[in-house]
Amino acid sequence: MIRLIGLLLSVIMIMACYPLGTFQGPEVLPEGKESVGIGLSWMTNINTFQDSSSGNESAFFADGSLLFRRGLAYNTEIGLKFVGRPWINGFLLADVKWQIRDQAVQVAVDFGISYWSRLSLYAFVGYHPAIIVGHDNFFVVGQYNYVRSQVDVLRTQDLILGRHFKLKDSEYQLTPLFGLHRSEGSPENVFYSLGLGFSRPLNDRSIRH
């Protein structure tokens, strides 16, 4: 049972991490432009574990989120992600993305701060530095996550593959993702994830690629 609780804690916190929830490549919105969207994410562990009370099991979790992004000056963009009610039994993530290369191969760095109140009486705060590399709507994200509360610390790494698809005759953008995730505290448990994001500009269709 203790092992089960530890695994559930790890997978929930891994799901809180930036790439799976915000569906972002290295592109940035032009200054003053905004977009909104929704995201759906599923995650489970590759390795099953044995629990004496319930037999051979695997962990599975899913979440839905609301997304908002705004372009700033100097190739910079800010974003917000909401899951549930962030002030009680929910999650909030704020991130800043800076595009450092806008050529055929685009490169951006991102830093996110998260607040998670779902797991216990103790709120969790996370720090999520990432690098994003993309070309022609395909992108790869590498991220390190440091999440802590008053009683626990979780360190994880993510590798995310994604692609943007512009829906024909529509302002909407579809972004499917596939990710691999591991926790430093439990390296034998590797998690994989699938995500699907939908977004659209608030003011016009202009997005810099």
Side-chain angles (χ1 to χ4, degrees):
M1 180 59 67
I2 294 177
R3 189 179 181 187
L4 173 61
I5 293 173
L7 178 60
L8 296 183
L9 174 65
S10 296
V11 70
I12 291 173
M13 292 313 302
I14 288 173
M15 284 196 67
C17 301
Y18 152 76
L20 189 61
T22 56
F23 303 92
Q24 291 299 302
E27 72 282 351
V28 292
L29 290 166
E31 182 178 1
K33 305 303 181 182
E34 299 173 339
S35 70
V36 292
I38 59 173
L40 301 173
S41 306
W42 301 267
M43 176 176 285
T44 189
N45 59 321
I46 292 178
N47 299 321
T48 60
F49 63 93
Q50 183 72 32
D51 178 72
S52 58
S53 63
S54 56
N56 196 34
E57 300 181 43
S58 60
F60 177 84
F61 289 89
D63 78 13
S65 56
L66 298 177
L67 312 169
F68 170 82
R69 305 200 68 82
R70 179 179 175 85
L72 303 179
Y74 306 108
N75 295 333
T76 304
E77 183 181 290
I78 59 173
L80 292 172
K81 171 193 172 184
F82 300 93
V83 177
R85 296 168 294 172
W87 58 92
I88 178 171
N89 196 36
F91 169 78
L92 169 66
L93 172 74
D95 74 284
V96 178
K97 180 171 63 174
W98 178 39
Q99 188 183 63
I100 60 177
R101 189 175 192 272
D102 185 18
Q103 304 296 326
V105 176
Q106 296 178 317
V107 181
V109 292
D110 186 275
F111 183 76
I113 298 178
S114 63
Y115 176 83
W116 185 273
S117 62
R118 171 175 284 177
L119 298 178
S120 68
L121 296 177
Y122 299 100
F124 281 76
V125 176
Y127 306 94
H128 313 280
I131 184 168
I132 313 170
V133 180
H135 172 67
D136 192 25
N137 290 319
F138 175 81
F139 59 91
V140 180
V141 182
Q143 179 168 298
Y144 182 80
N145 308 286
Y146 178 85
V147 184
R148 68 174 303 156
S149 72
Q150 297 179 19
V151 297
D152 201 5
V153 174
L154 180 68
R155 299 176 179 90
T156 67
Q157 300 92 39
D158 304 327
L159 178 65
I160 306 289
L161 305 177
R163 194 184 192 284
H164 295 312
F165 293 92
K166 297 291 186 181
L167 301 186
K168 186 176 180 181
D169 300 325
S170 171
E171 296 181 325
Y172 287 90
Q173 178 173 269
L174 173 66
T175 305
L177 296 178
F178 173 77
L180 293 173
H181 317 267
R182 66 181 293 272
S183 169
E184 291 183 1
S186 183
E188 72 279 4
N189 274 311
V190 178
F191 293 84
Y192 65 91
S193 59
L194 295 174
L196 198 59
F198 300 88
S199 64
R200 59 156 294 169
L202 277 179
N203 26 35
D204 62 35
R205 304 184 184 188
S206 178
I207 297 180
R208 184 189 308 163
H209 287 283

